[in-house]
Amino acid sequence: MANDFARKAASVDGTANQAPPATLVRQRGDEALDAPLLSLADALVSNAPLLAVQLEPADDARKLAPIVARLGLVAIHFPLFKDGRGYSSARILRDELGYTGELRATGDVLIDQLVFLKRSGFDAFALRKAEDAALVEKTLARFADVYQPASDARTPVWRRR
Amino acid sequence: MYQYDRFDQAIVDARVDEFRDQVARRLSGALTEEQFRPLRLLNGLYLQLHAYMLRIAIPYGTLSSRQVRMLAHIARRYDRGYGHFTTRQNIQYNWIKLEEAPDLLADLASVEMHAIQTSGNVIRNITTDQYAGAVAGEVEDPRIWSEILRQWSTFHPEFSFLPRKFKIAVNASAQDRAAIRLHDIGVEIERNDAGEVGFRVYVGGGMGRTPMIAPLIRPWLPKADFLSYMEAILRVYNRYGRRDNMYKARIKILVHELGAQAFTDEVEAEWAKVKTRGIDIDEAEAARIAAYFAPPPFDAAAPVATPTHADPAFGHWFRQNVTAHKAPGYAIATISLKATGEIPGDASADQMDLIADLADRYSFRDVRVTHAQNLVLPHVKLADLPTLWEALREAGLASANLDLIGDIIACPGLDYCTLANARSIPIAQTIAERFADMDRQRDLGELKVKISGCINGCGHHHAGHIGILGVDRKGVENYQLLLGGSGAEDTSLAQILGPGFDADGIVNAVETVVETYKAKRHDGERFLDTYRRLGAAPFKEAVYGQ
């Protein structure tokens, strides 16, 4: 892929969300890895046995392939919710790299993206706004039926017909 | 046509429930307008000049009469008694109140309709040939694969935040009535030498600011690989499409900047990784969906004689607006929504109700929307055409101008749309009035005029035999004249002729161009053929005197 192109794809208008998340929704039984979030570049040269990485929109998730066994937490950053590159990164991590650790959406994450995020393989969501737990649960349960397979365990309706 | 099962219905109902919730949060202030905006756009609700505009999806332009009646009800109950059919086979209502939108969507859901993904940076309505399932020579009904695409693309979790909107069109005939090479993905259904049915895939077409004709990316794609290949294209776009400049964010820019071969290589590499992920439907599901598009029970004894009527006006309509059907004794009838002086593409609630009745009586309850903003009754007995025509004529729906200069495509323009720079509707009306003489129109023959009120090109001016683009020049409406475009299988982009005109000037310029064509045409040549033979020079000279 032309480097020039990746640069253009990378430059996005808008400010990255710097404030800490108001609500962390975690759908895992284990404890979150307590380790500093490394950039992709730093993670690739780290010798630590267990790593936490944060991917930015322009990062190629496939670059994590050599170290996927040492990943304990991957945070995918959404500087602006409308930049949907993180969804592809998540799916590549789950489907192709076989990553089973915590996959956390951070940044401009709103309750209205939860279903798309979950279906793309995320199991932790650092919501920007404080949200009522009941509303979160209602939102995640709303779409009982899905048309297409994704990176969650759900069966598309055509297989159930 | 496709019927929802409980799964389809549940999905639409869940969306209505979600939107009701989102509107409530907006009205209570829990969501700001900025946060609400992308959510309402996912449901086709635009904030326009006068009120909210709602764009309702008409998947691949196919409606049942029951659905048409609901569209009439919506026009009356929630709007000002009319609706506007669009160049993507959808319908728009211009006077919607936000607090009533959830009820409107619930009404739509009761007849298997919705406004899902009719705006926003998502995969939009799949469009196709309005004569699907009726015209002779079709390889396979393109609506089958349009429905398969519709399901695959609805609430696709990975592709709901693309760099920009994404439009797919499907065709299955030698003639292209869907303008597939002017779409982000254009799919041609065809048969290979072994007699198998598969797809030819074009990627990277579009109009608007940077018009481009889509290059061929995949000459042959088997049915079994269709959806996974689409998924690969969309993933490449989602990952690498530009997000720095919204005017350079469509996939056509990516394809153009990488080059077709490099883009193809990226897609093939991605496809190798996704094709084993269970994305493709199996043959049983494809057959299940295909069964919904089985032909209606045609009467094998339907008379094949050419219908006649004492009124010669019927003959004109029959010859202009009626197309041959694959079943003997039947015909495809186009209902023009381009009556002289009316707004192109608009239909009143009363007209919609009438069309629903006529569909019940004459067309197996089947109605289509064309991307030229007209309607079609696809399965009418030849013998029924005279009575059908009489009913249409009484309602102002019998203009015999299909594909003639009076059959103008026009976007809503500055009268309705916040993006517009100029009004397009009055220009369309004036041109139609200038050429109101039907003998003159028929003499001129096929002449597709397309008008856009801004560079976004929703009126498809780049694909007009005569295209008109309205711009704002120092606060005054100015109109550019383009010639030689085509959205059919002979796809070409219209070229600008010279400096622009004011509203009077553009109509005069169109007349000059048309008269020049008349003076110079050879036997049997359409305007487009004469233009392609002679080039711009004689037209330029006639219009600008140089």
Side-chain angles (χ1 to χ4, degrees):
Chain A
M1 176 61 63
N3 285 334
D4 190 41
F5 225 78
R7 250 205 314 281
K8 278 188 188 148
S11 59
V12 174
D13 249 352
T15 50
N17 180 33
Q18 300 298 335
T23 316
L24 177 63
V25 175
R26 227 173 146 268
Q27 299 196 314
R28 294 179 66 89
D30 56 8
E31 292 247 336
L33 176 64
D34 183 13
L37 283 168
L38 302 178
S39 69
L40 173 62
D42 287 347
L44 290 174
V45 298
S46 164
N47 291 320
L50 207 50
L51 294 164
V53 185
Q54 174 158 305
L55 291 183
E56 297 301 326
D59 288 336
D60 183 355
R62 291 181 169 123
K63 292 202 169 129
L64 288 171
I67 62 167
V68 67
R70 291 192 285 128
L71 296 174
L73 166 63
V74 178
I76 296 184
H77 186 219
F78 291 84
L80 288 174
F81 71 79
K82 57 192 282 198
D83 186 336
R85 286 177 282 180
Y87 295 92
S88 291
S89 298
R91 295 201 64 199
I92 287 166
L93 271 159
R94 287 297 194 214
D95 298 346
E96 211 173 295
L97 273 52
Y99 173 64
T100 55
E102 179 174 338
L103 189 54
R104 185 190 295 182
T106 70
D108 191 17
V109 180
L110 300 173
I111 197 167
D112 307 278
Q113 283 100 51
L114 282 185
V115 173
F116 295 133
L117 289 167
K118 182 163 181 186
R119 296 215 64 217
S120 298
F122 290 92
D123 53 12
F125 316 94
L127 295 172
R128 211 178 74 187
K129 264 181 71 172
E131 292 289 3
D132 181 55
L135 183 58
V136 169
E137 214 177 293
K138 181 173 154 195
T139 303
L140 283 170
R142 181 179 274 121
F143 288 90
D145 305 289
V146 295
Y147 272 133
Q148 67 288 107
S151 304
D152 56 1
R154 296 171 75 185
T155 312
V157 296
W158 70 266
R159 285 198 194 276
R160 295 159 56 198
R161 281 170 168 147
Chain B
M1 62 191 68
Y2 191 71
Q3 311 279 345
Y4 279 13
D5 57 20
R6 63 189 174 90
F7 297 113
D8 301 300
Q9 191 65 51
I11 286 169
V12 171
D13 290 344
R15 168 66 110 191
V16 173
D17 181 57
E18 178 189 48
F19 187 65
R20 198 179 283 284
D21 203 59
Q22 289 166 340
V23 170
R25 283 158 64 212
R26 171 74 192 99
L27 292 173
S28 79
L31 279 175
T32 65
E33 179 55 31
E34 216 204 299
Q35 291 167 334
F36 179 64
R37 192 172 163 274
L39 304 176
R40 66 169 163 78
L41 286 179
L42 285 175
N43 287 286
L45 198 59
Y46 287 86
L47 186 51
Q48 289 287 25
L49 293 173
H50 310 289
Y52 283 91
M53 181 272 278
L54 178 69
R55 181 179 299 143
I56 290 172
I58 299 177
Y60 38 88
T62 298
L63 288 163
S64 67
S65 50
R66 182 169 167 247
Q67 291 171 329
V68 175
R69 284 194 185 91
M70 176 56 75
L71 295 180
H73 162 76
I74 288 180
R76 288 192 187 99
R77 167 73 185 79
Y78 299 102
D79 204 272
R80 294 192 183 176
Y82 66 94
H84 172 75
F85 291 97
T86 77
T87 52
R88 299 219 73 242
Q89 300 180 305
N90 291 321
I91 187 170
Q92 291 179 177
Y93 294 93
N94 295 298
W95 307 96
I96 303 301
K97 299 190 182 73
L98 177 62
E99 59 271 21
E100 294 186 335
D103 284 345
L104 191 165
L105 293 182
D107 282 353
L108 281 178
S110 74
V111 294
E112 305 179 13
M113 294 187 78
H114 59 74
I116 293 167
Q117 293 173 206
T118 56
S119 64
N121 296 337
V122 290
I123 301 168
R124 303 281 190 92
N125 189 27
I126 316 297
T127 52
T128 193
D129 179 1
Q130 65 268 22
Y131 297 161
V135 69
E138 188 175 76
V139 172
E140 192 171 284
D141 194 326
R143 294 175 301 162
I144 297 167
W145 295 93
S146 303
E147 174 61 24
I148 288 167
L149 281 169
R150 182 190 74 84
Q151 295 196 13
W152 162 79
S153 65
T154 299
F155 304 147
H156 196 301
E158 189 180 347
F159 305 135
S160 291
F161 298 93
L162 296 171
R164 203 70 171 94
K165 64 182 92 169
F166 204 91
K167 300 179 179 179
I168 305 177
V170 184
N171 186 43
S173 284
Q175 289 180 304
D176 181 0
R177 281 172 288 270
I180 66 169
R181 293 191 67 186
L182 295 173
H183 279 76
D184 297 290
I185 293 180
V187 178
E188 181 75 51
I189 302 177
E190 41 178 53
R191 221 174 270 283
N192 66 8
D193 293 332
E196 297 164 324
V197 175
F199 310 98
R200 220 169 141 72
V201 183
Y202 297 89
V203 182
M207 291 177 275
R209 241 156 265 265
T210 332
M212 288 179 187
I213 298 175
L216 179 65
I217 296 301
R218 197 47 140 97
W220 178 256
L221 181 67
K223 286 182 177 180
D225 298 332
F226 183 60
L227 287 179
S228 56
Y229 200 78
M230 295 292 121
E231 186 118 346
I233 295 170
L234 266 297
R235 178 175 286 176
V236 169
Y237 176 53
N238 191 48
R239 298 185 80 212
Y240 298 114
R242 286 177 65 167
R243 293 179 188 261
D244 59 313
N245 176 351
M246 74 175 259
Y247 303 119
K248 295 286 172 195
R250 299 289 289 272
I251 198 173
K252 64 190 174 188
I253 305 296
L254 178 61
V255 174
H256 185 70
E257 293 192 357
L258 284 180
Q261 190 55 60
F263 175 79
T264 303
D265 294 343
E266 287 292 331
V267 173
E268 294 289 330
E270 189 64 52
W271 184 56
K273 300 189 177 97
V274 300
K275 68 186 193 181
T276 52
R277 309 282 335 153
I279 295 162
D280 291 297
I281 55 170
D282 59 17
E283 273 185 46
E285 174 65 3
R288 186 193 74 88
I289 290 181
Y292 284 109
F293 298 98
F298 295 123
D299 174 2
V304 299
T306 302
T308 57
H309 194 292
D311 190 333
F314 169 78
H316 291 311
W317 180 82
F318 175 73
R319 279 183 295 279
Q320 198 59 47
N321 284 32
V322 176
T323 307
H325 196 288
K326 66 182 181 187
Y330 284 81
I332 303 170
T334 295
I335 300 173
S336 169
L337 297 182
K338 315 290 180 71
T340 307
E342 296 296 331
I343 297 177
D346 277 17
S348 69
D350 287 345
Q351 287 174 325
M352 291 183 211
D353 276 335
L354 172 71
I355 289 165
D357 288 343
L358 294 173
D360 281 343
R361 220 175 307 150
Y362 299 121
S363 184
F364 298 98
R365 297 187 299 282
D366 194 337
V367 182
R368 310 292 174 79
V369 185
T370 88
H371 85 263
Q373 305 168 312
N374 290 317
L375 298 178
V376 171
L377 295 178
H379 307 301
V380 182
K381 281 185 179 170
L382 285 165
D384 287 335
L385 287 173
T387 14
L388 169 65
W389 172 75
E390 285 174 352
L392 290 173
R393 185 182 48 172
E394 238 185 84
L397 293 168
S399 300
N401 59 8
L402 176 60
D403 293 340
L404 300 179
I405 195 171
D407 185 11
I408 299 169
I409 293 182
C411 73
L414 190 54
D415 290 312
Y416 288 98
C417 180
T418 48
L419 300 174
N421 293 124
R423 284 169 302 155
S424 47
I425 291 171
I427 305 295
Q429 290 170 323
T430 310
I431 292 174
E433 272 148 16
R434 183 73 64 91
F435 291 91
D437 179 345
M438 287 310 300
D439 288 328
R440 188 184 184 193
Q441 276 199 40
R442 278 186 287 270
D443 176 52
L444 293 173
E446 182 186 305
L447 216 173
K448 302 189 181 182
V449 176
K450 306 187 185 184
I451 307 175
S452 300
C454 82
I455 192 70
N456 288 301
C458 301
H460 292 191
H461 61 283
H462 292 295
H465 298 172
I466 295 178
I468 296 172
L469 170 62
V471 298
D472 177 312
R473 197 206 265 161
K474 296 174 195 163
V476 178
E477 287 168 319
N478 195 267
Y479 296 93
Q480 294 180 354
L481 181 61
L482 301 91
L483 302 182
S486 172
E489 64 280 1
D490 59 348
T491 315
S492 60
L493 298 174
Q495 298 302 309
I496 192 166
L497 194 65
F501 305 88
D502 65 14
D504 291 329
I506 187 66
V507 178
N508 292 333
V510 167
E511 189 159 28
T512 304
V513 162
V514 163
E515 289 303 316
T516 307
Y517 152 66
K518 256 193 80 173
K520 297 188 178 295
R521 64 183 169 181
H522 289 171
D523 259 358
E525 272 187 345
R526 305 167 297 166
F527 165 80
L528 184 61
D529 301 321
T530 303
Y531 177 82
R532 284 172 171 170
R533 174 170 58 84
L534 296 175
F539 298 95
K540 204 164 170 166
E541 195 188 316
V543 170
Y544 298 103
Q546 342 151 331

